[in-house]
Amino acid sequence: MERILVSNRGEIAVRIVRTCRDLGIASVVAHSSADRDSLAVQLADESVHIGPEQARRSYNNIPALLYACAKTGADAVHPGCGFLAEDPLFAAACGEVGVTFIGPSPKHIALMGNKIDARAAMRAGGVPVLPASDGTVDSAYEAAEVAARIGFPLIVKAVAGGGGRGMKVVHEAAGLIPGYEATRATARTLFQDDRVYLEKYVPEGRHIEVQILADSYGNVVDLGERDCTVQRRHQKLVEESPAPSLTDDLRARLRRVAVAGAESIGYVSAGTFEFIVTRDGEPYFIEMNTRLQVEHPITEERCGLDLVEWMIRIARGEALPFDQRDVELAGHALEVRINAEDAGRDWAGSTGRVHGLRLPAGPGIRVDSHLYEGYVVPPFYDSLLAKIIATGPTREVALRRMDRALREFRCDGVVTNADFHRTLLRDPGFRSGDYRLGIVESLLERK
Ligand code: MV4
């Protein structure tokens, strides 16, 4: 592997280019017309234009990306987070033209992309799953039958969904058929696939995920968990590791179960098992993400490993040279996502030129960002501008450092959610560590 094409943009493209440099591998950043002047383009060895602003015609355009590999001599692709990272067709197409896809096999991406197959595979591997329909629910009649068995509340989920797209909670019998029909209609529009299934719904749970790394020789390690409960409309806002208010028993169980799940399917690469933990502390598998995740830095800060490096090494066929006993997780890490969005205008995306910038630094602070002074935030993509990661020996120390970092942060010319983060970090519910899904909504109502 000599030349890696980065088929992504923003902070994650910068993140990947940096590791390529550390490993002495040349990087090629594929970019749209909107990203000609991006920091990733500036830091890479080479860049290649792949199409116009709209992601559909650039970052999601498989032929354009394969052509970019051929044109620049890239022998591998790192897809980053989002866009084609979880498209089995892209992974397979790379394989067909002899380009190494830095990620799992198309087979594993497809398995986890089908949420019914994923559930069945995990169940067979001994991972706890919630009561649900036995496969797809193909009629209103069948929906009523399943609801009678599993009870309310329940959730209607698209087979092709994930990450909160294409799902609807149903609290009582009267909402069942409308919820069922609505989810099918949404799924048809979003995924051109209207298959849905029903699952018992866990109210006020916590969203905990476990990071694993697996090589092609059957070695699987877990790198601890992340608590991603603080989110709004399925956009994570704060992540932390370890998850506060998990018992050590439950933490150990989640980690064991994730490793067993990965082993049972012969998974290779970095991956994340997502669980919902109930009020009674029972964990249930929700889905598996077969990509590098935005929040991976908090795991890196605790275990001292570079996850992008290990994805690359595993894709090159290297074996993990360490085992679970060698994984030492130290201290506490928090990440906040700084988004270009305006809380005063219903969180609408904000764009414009960054004419003043002060990025935080100092003890325990890491910033993953593509911002620079003079950068123009384009309107075409997600709103993530920067991730501030604060690490310390304890949660208290990490929180103090995060508060310092947020005070230092300034980004003039674009409206961001930095002030919201300062409010959130002061909230007694958040500080207690015993928070649940819905914390952001309840905080916004009280304001
Ligand atoms: C659930 C759930 C509770 N019960 N499934 C949302 C994202 C996707 N990964 C799966 N998600 C959920 N699935 C069952 N059976 C809770 C979530 C969930 C959620 C639900 C409502 C509002 C915010 C949420 C945030 C994270 C996860």
Side-chain angles (χ1 to χ4, degrees):
M1 202 179 286
E2 288 178 4
R3 235 174 152 66
I4 295 177
L5 182 126
V6 180
S7 60
N8 212 305
R9 63 174 306 283
E11 63 84 21
I12 202 68
V14 171
R15 166 74 191 80
I16 296 162
V17 165
R18 286 180 167 147
T19 289
C20 290
R21 184 75 65 193
D22 288 346
L23 297 179
I25 301 173
S27 56
V28 181
V29 164
H31 66 87
S32 71
S33 303
D35 290 330
R36 288 181 193 283
D37 303 321
S38 77
L39 185 60
V41 165
Q42 293 173 44
L43 297 181
D45 290 282
E46 202 181 323
S47 62
V48 55
H49 182 248
I50 47 165
E53 292 85 351
Q54 308 97 295
R56 185 178 60 80
R57 298 173 65 196
S58 50
Y59 299 106
N60 284 325
N61 184 342
I62 296 176
L65 289 163
L66 296 180
Y67 178 67
C69 288
K71 190 169 148 185
T72 61
D75 53 5
V77 169
H78 197 304
C81 321
F83 296 122
L84 297 173
E86 292 179 293
D87 185 339
L89 292 176
F90 183 50
C94 288
E96 274 158 33
V97 298
V99 168
T100 304
F101 179 80
I102 302 170
S105 69
K107 187 188 84 179
H108 287 115
I109 299 174
L111 175 67
M112 292 301 145
N114 179 311
K115 302 303 162 185
I116 288 182
D117 291 351
R119 255 184 64 89
M122 287 305 121
R123 192 173 172 200
V127 178
V129 295
L130 286 157
S133 56
D134 183 18
T136 57
V137 172
D138 303 317
S139 68
Y141 172 81
E142 211 184 314
E145 231 175 25
V146 175
R149 174 164 62 83
I150 67 178
F152 295 95
L154 57 78
I155 183 164
V156 187
K157 291 186 173 181
V159 174
R165 282 162 31 98
M167 50 183 246
K168 199 158 181 58
V169 180
V170 177
H171 293 280
E172 53 190 34
L176 180 65
I177 303 309
Y180 168 76
E181 298 294 352
T183 310
R184 284 192 70 153
T186 309
R188 196 177 306 131
T189 309
L190 284 177
F191 316 115
Q192 294 79 50
D193 176 352
D194 70 353
R195 290 174 300 163
V196 300
Y197 65 106
L198 265 50
E199 192 172 73
K200 185 85 187 164
Y201 178 67
V202 176
E204 294 181 29
R206 274 174 284 165
H207 177 144
I208 313 283
E209 57 188 34
V210 178
Q211 176 73 57
I212 62 104
L213 269 183
D215 68 19
S216 346
Y217 308 94
N219 303 304
V220 183
V221 296
D222 84 81
L223 304 177
E225 84 284 8
R226 298 185 286 256
D227 192 323
C228 304
T229 301
V230 181
Q231 38 181 295
R232 185 184 162 273
R233 299 199 182 156
H234 302 295
Q235 289 298 114
K236 293 168 187 164
L237 287 165
V238 180
E239 302 98 350
E240 58 180 320
S241 182
S245 84
L246 276 195
T247 64
D248 286 342
D249 266 6
L250 180 51
R251 175 173 294 120
R253 187 168 153 221
L254 283 170
R255 296 175 60 184
R256 269 199 317 271
V257 155
V259 169
E263 285 173 347
S264 75
I265 58 170
Y267 187 80
V268 177
S269 191
T272 299
F273 288 81
E274 189 181 309
F275 300 91
I276 293 285
V277 176
T278 66
R279 275 199 167 278
D280 317 330
E282 284 304 317
Y284 293 100
F285 171 80
I286 294 292
E287 53 193 59
M288 181 189 186
N289 299 313
T290 58
R291 60 168 192 276
L292 180 71
Q293 289 196 260
V294 172
E295 59 273 27
H296 77 277
I298 58 173
T299 298
E300 294 186 325
E301 292 306 307
R302 288 193 69 218
C303 69
L305 296 170
D306 176 334
L307 284 175
V308 175
E309 171 182 352
W310 286 103
M311 288 182 80
I312 292 170
R313 290 188 183 279
I314 289 166
R316 291 208 285 230
E318 291 182 31
L320 290 174
F322 53 87
D323 68 18
Q324 192 67 58
R325 288 163 309 196
D326 302 315
V327 174
E328 285 177 33
L329 303 175
H332 196 99
L334 285 155
E335 173 179 282
V336 305
R337 298 190 188 190
I338 304 291
N339 295 329
E341 58 190 20
D342 190 344
R345 290 183 31 238
D346 196 28
W347 304 87
S350 124
T351 60
R353 184 170 171 277
V354 178
H355 57 77
L357 180 66
R358 188 168 65 202
L359 292 179
I365 295 298
R366 161 177 170 181
V367 179
D368 279 21
S369 177
H370 57 297
L371 289 176
Y372 58 86
E373 226 163 86
Y375 176 65
V376 179
V377 177
F380 310 104
Y381 313 106
D382 71 28
S383 62
L384 184 62
L385 293 180
K387 306 185 299 203
I388 304 178
I389 302 106
T391 307
T394 63
R395 187 171 189 256
E396 286 316 304
V397 174
L399 281 168
R400 289 298 291 257
R401 288 175 166 167
M402 184 64 88
D403 183 63
R404 163 182 31 107
L406 286 167
R407 282 169 186 274
E408 291 180 13
F409 179 80
R410 247 189 41 211
C411 181
D412 304 329
V414 197
V415 183
T416 77
N417 62 351
D419 283 342
F420 168 78
H421 281 302
R422 295 201 55 202
T423 307
L424 178 74
L425 261 49
R426 281 194 301 265
D427 175 63
F430 177 75
R431 292 203 79 92
S432 77
D434 187 23
Y435 51 80
R436 318 254 138 205
L437 291 171
I439 178 179
V440 178
E441 290 77 2
S442 67
L443 189 72
L444 292 172
E445 276 167 28
R446 275 182 276 133
K447 276 215 297 181

